[in-house]
Each structure stands twice: as C-alpha cells, then as structure tokens.
Amino acid sequence: MASYATPLRRQWPWLLLLLIATSAVVIPLLSGSPVADFGEALRAPGIGHLGGTDHSGYDLLTRTAEGLRISLTMAAVCAVVATGLGVLIGVGSVAAGGWVDAVVMRVVDGVNALPHLVIGIVIAAMWRGEPLAIIASIGLTHWPAVARVVRAELRSGAEAGWVRSARLAGASRWFVGRHHLLPAVGGQALVSMVMLLPHAVWHESTLSFLGVGLSPDRASLGTLLGQSRGDVMSGAWWTLVVPASALLVTALAVAAGGSGLRRRLQPPGGQVW
C-alpha cells in the first residue's frame, strides 16, 4: 500500500497542474463565447453560475478559466525567456573566464540589487497593455538567479576529467562551453524554469492588478482581481475569491512541482545548488 502512496504523493502537484491546465482550456470551450448580460450582474454563486457573475454579467468561472489560460501562457513564455537569458549568460561567463567573468557577475549583482517589481512596472508602463511589454518586464528582471545557478554548476563541472581532456585535446573555451558544459546544465535549467513559473504568474497578476499590465478587456487573473476591487465593496465577495483561489492554487502547485523536480535531480550525497 505504501509503495502506491509514495509515488502518488510525489506526483500530485503535476496531476493538479494538469487538471488546472485542462480546466483553463475546456471550460471556455464548453461555455462558448462569453456574453455580457447586465441583468445577471453580480449574481452570487448558484445553479446557473457556479462561480457567480461579475459586474458585467459574465460568468465568473468561465472568465477565471480564460484568465488562468492567459496568465499561464504568459508566465510560461516569461520563464522560458528568463531561463534562456540566464543559461546563455552563465555559460558565456564561465566559458570566457578571467575579467569577463568578473564583470558579468558584477552586472548580475547590480541587476539583483534592483527591485524587480518596480523595474517591471516601469517597463510595462512604457507600453501599457502590450503582452510583449509584460514578457520583457518579467524576463529581463529574473534571469540573474538562473545565471548564478548555471555559473556555480559549471564552475564545479569545469574541473571534471572529461572537460580537462577536451581542453588538453585543443578545444577552445567556447567549444567546451557550447558542446560540453551547456548540455550538462540542462536539468538545472529545467528546474529553474519551473521554479520561475509561480514568480511569473504572480508578477503578471500584480502588473495587471496595478493597471499597467493587460488591458481590462483581456481576461487575466490580474485584471479580474483588479476589477473585483469595486465589486467587493458592494458585497460581491465571489468576484475576489474565485480568481484569487485560482491564482493561489496554481502558484502553490507549480512551486510544489518545482521543489519535487529539484529533489529528484539532486545527486546522492550532494547539493544541486
């Protein structure tokens, strides 16, 4: 019995994420195109609308599923961008070595010292409502952590015998970095990307909530939370609870999945990071 329970405990975050992603796609398809019905505005959760309705009469469960799909898509793109930048910079820093490595690390320290949310607000506000601005604001502020992880792993692997053999055979630093060191950090890059997903979801929702993210006509978890501020004051608590619950459960599931993946990739008797 325990042999079945242990794998299930390890896999539950991924099963929950699969359920969330499926719901984000299936619910809007089954509900069809949302139609505003002001006569149904701010209806409490019930038989006709399981999640209630918002101030425009839209079914809130359908809107939350649409917002979740958009938020997850943007978070995934942001995580890929930040991870790609971090891996390239980390590998390039180690491959170049010397003063280049020192300068790159000082740049990483400088970017880390900046408040990410404030920088993200500035970038997103310059092109308000544009998805590319949100992707840039998150991707350009979250790569330093990945770069440091990759650099630390590469510096420890640079002393491996197979890397020394390649250098003794005449391979250049860039060749070693591109063909030997970069594939060696694939697992760490994957974990870093997964762990960035909840950060990206929170940041996208925060930017949209503050009014510098997506425009209100585009459903995302942030825009739904932003629109709920006035509705809650009139007693429509479900307009806040439904999207906030979706955001919280998604972030926790992704974080739990990333932690499990990190433990799985950790070598016996050692530490990954």
Side-chain angles (χ1 to χ4, degrees), residues 182-225:
L182 182 58
V185 297
Q188 286 77 2
L190 176 61
V191 175
S192 297
M193 184 173 63
V194 173
M195 296 302 290
L196 276 173
L197 278 173
H199 287 281
V201 171
W202 282 112
H203 274 256
E204 184 279 324
S205 301
T206 302
L207 292 174
S208 297
F209 177 78
L210 294 176
V212 295
L214 295 176
S215 56
D217 60 301
R218 294 179 178 176
S220 77
L221 296 181
T223 57
L224 293 177
L225 291 172

Side-chain angles (χ1 to χ4, degrees), residues 70-204:
I70 292 176
S71 294
L72 284 176
T73 301
M74 295 192 64
V77 174
C78 293
V80 169
V81 170
T83 302
L85 283 174
V87 169
L88 289 177
I89 293 173
V91 172
S93 178
V94 174
W99 65 269
V100 176
D101 181 45
V103 171
V104 171
M105 286 302 101
R106 299 296 76 76
V107 173
V108 170
D109 292 338
V111 176
N112 266 330
L114 299 174
H116 292 172
L117 181 58
V118 175
I119 300 300
I121 291 174
V122 172
I123 296 176
M126 294 174 65
W127 297 277
R128 182 171 298 184
E130 293 295 330
L132 286 178
I134 300 177
I135 293 173
S137 67
I138 298 174
L140 296 178
T141 56
H142 287 73
W143 62 264
V146 181
R148 278 205 168 278
V149 168
V150 171
R151 177 179 178 271
E153 186 67 20
L154 290 179
R155 285 179 66 88
S156 63
E159 301 300 323
W162 48 275
V163 174
R164 289 185 176 183
S165 298
R167 289 178 175 172
L168 290 175
S172 65
R173 287 177 177 267
W174 293 104
F175 182 89
V176 171
R178 186 170 65 253
H179 292 279
H180 295 288
L181 297 181
L182 182 58
V185 297
Q188 286 77 2
L190 176 61
V191 175
S192 297
M193 184 173 63
V194 173
M195 296 302 290
L196 276 173
L197 278 173
H199 287 281
V201 171
W202 282 112
H203 274 256
E204 184 279 324

Side-chain angles (χ1 to χ4, degrees), residues 22-101:
T22 303
S23 302
V25 175
V26 172
I27 290 179
L29 289 178
L30 295 178
S31 302
S33 301
V35 178
D37 185 359
F38 291 98
E40 295 290 321
L42 297 181
R43 294 280 186 179
I47 300 299
H49 302 282
L50 297 180
T53 62
D54 62 9
H55 59 272
S56 298
Y58 289 114
D59 182 79
L60 192 58
L61 188 62
T62 302
R63 291 279 286 174
T64 300
E66 291 180 344
L68 183 60
R69 182 179 59 192
I70 292 176
S71 294
L72 284 176
T73 301
M74 295 192 64
V77 174
C78 293
V80 169
V81 170
T83 302
L85 283 174
V87 169
L88 289 177
I89 293 173
V91 172
S93 178
V94 174
W99 65 269
V100 176
D101 181 45

